[in-house]
Structure formats: C-alpha cells, structure tokens
C-alpha cells in the first residue's frame, strides 16, 4: 500500500513538474524577441559588415555569410536556446512580468530606437577616444619605457635565465 501511494505521489509530482517546465518554457519563448523584416536584415548586415571589416578577405563569401546568419538566427535551435537561457535567468513569474512590460508602448519605442541609441553611443565613444589620443600615446610611451627598463634589468641580473 505504501509503495503504491509513493508511486502515485511520485508520478503526480513529476507530471506537475513537467507541466511547470512546459509553462516556463512557453513563457520564455514569449519573451524571445527577434527582429523581423527590415530590422532583421539590418542586424544581419551589421554582423556581416563587422566580420568583413575585421577580415576583408571574407568579402567574396559575404552572401554565404548572410544566408547562414539568416538561417541560424531563425532556427528553432537558436530560438529555443535563447528561451532556455531565459528560463535559467528568470523564474516563470518574472518572465510573465517581462512579457507584460514588452507589451507596453514605451518598450516598443525602446526597441525601435535601440539601434539608433547604440549607433550614437559608438559615435560618442569614437569622439571621446579621438579627443583623448594624446593621453593614449602618453600611456603607450610610459608602457614602452617600463618594458625597456625591465628588459635592461633582466640583462643586468639575468632574471629570466635568458642567455646573453
């Protein structure tokens, strides 16, 4: 009798856990927000542009990269993977709150202006870096001097065991 009761409780508990996991996953899927249409294409172009900028030799295969990223970012593996990450980071209740927040008009505006916001942040960063080039040069020169002093000290004392 006790074994049967334990088995019934275990089965009903595991069924509840499974139902909770499914609800949690569905809530996570509901907050996965992939750009669509023109915004999606802008995202793909941005990723490929960054890759081409860092490695110009891949320019001839640009089209293949675009197709690959479109397929990848629209795949169930990617979207479900994002949902699983959401499940790890947020409880079911938190995901419901996030979904409610995503339905607010201000969140829609936030999503719309985010690319402009990021672009302007990058421009500001470049401007500030350009204004501080003298400080960067000063730090680089100081680092070169420090390295030279360490190399001289090494030669004098043979600290690294290098042959002279």
């Amino acid at each position: 009798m006790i074994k049967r009761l334990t088995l019934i409780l275990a089965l009903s508990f595991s069924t509840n856990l499974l139902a909770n996991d499914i609800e949690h996953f569905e809530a996570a899927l509901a907050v996965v927000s992939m750009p669509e249409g023109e915004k999606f294409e802008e995202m793909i172009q941005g990723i490929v542009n960054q890759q081409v900028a860092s490695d110009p030799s891949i320019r001839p295969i640009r089209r293949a990269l675009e197709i690959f990223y479109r397929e990848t970012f629209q795949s169930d593996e990617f979207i479900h993977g994002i949902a699983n990450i959401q499940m790890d980071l947020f409880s079911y209740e938190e995901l419901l709150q996030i979904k409610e927040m995503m339905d607010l008009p201000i969140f829609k505006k936030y999503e719309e202006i985010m690319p402009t916001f990021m672009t302007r942040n990058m421009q500001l960063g470049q401007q500030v870096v350009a204004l501080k080039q003298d400080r960067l040069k000063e730090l680089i020169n100081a680092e070169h001097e420090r390295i030279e002093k360490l190399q001289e000290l090494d030669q004098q004392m043979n600290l690294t065991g290098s042959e002279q």
Side-chain angles (χ1 to χ4, degrees), residues 41-130:
E41 285 303 313
E42 287 175 11
M43 180 185 80
I44 298 298
Q45 294 303 317
I47 292 168
V48 174
N49 288 342
Q50 286 177 344
Q51 288 188 311
V52 169
S54 67
D55 184 2
S57 70
I58 64 173
R59 187 179 313 267
I61 61 166
R62 179 184 181 93
R63 186 169 178 274
L65 291 171
E66 292 169 356
I67 292 168
F68 173 77
Y69 286 124
R70 275 187 209 102
E71 290 173 356
T72 299
F73 294 137
Q74 292 176 328
S75 71
D76 285 344
E77 295 90 354
F78 185 75
I79 293 170
H80 290 179
I82 292 174
N84 283 318
I85 292 170
Q86 298 276 24
M87 289 174 64
D88 289 341
L89 298 174
F90 300 103
S91 70
Y92 171 74
E93 291 78 18
E94 291 169 330
L95 289 168
L96 293 178
Q97 291 174 10
I98 291 169
K99 179 62 179 147
E100 286 177 21
M101 180 184 69
M102 290 172 69
D103 291 335
L104 295 174
I106 190 65
F107 190 82
K108 303 285 186 207
K109 179 179 179 180
Y110 176 79
E111 283 184 313
E112 288 174 16
I113 66 169
M114 184 50 65
T116 302
F117 177 73
M118 295 302 291
T119 300
R120 291 177 69 180
N121 281 344
M122 293 296 292
Q123 291 168 345
L124 174 64
Q126 291 170 348
Q127 290 170 355
V128 172
V129 167

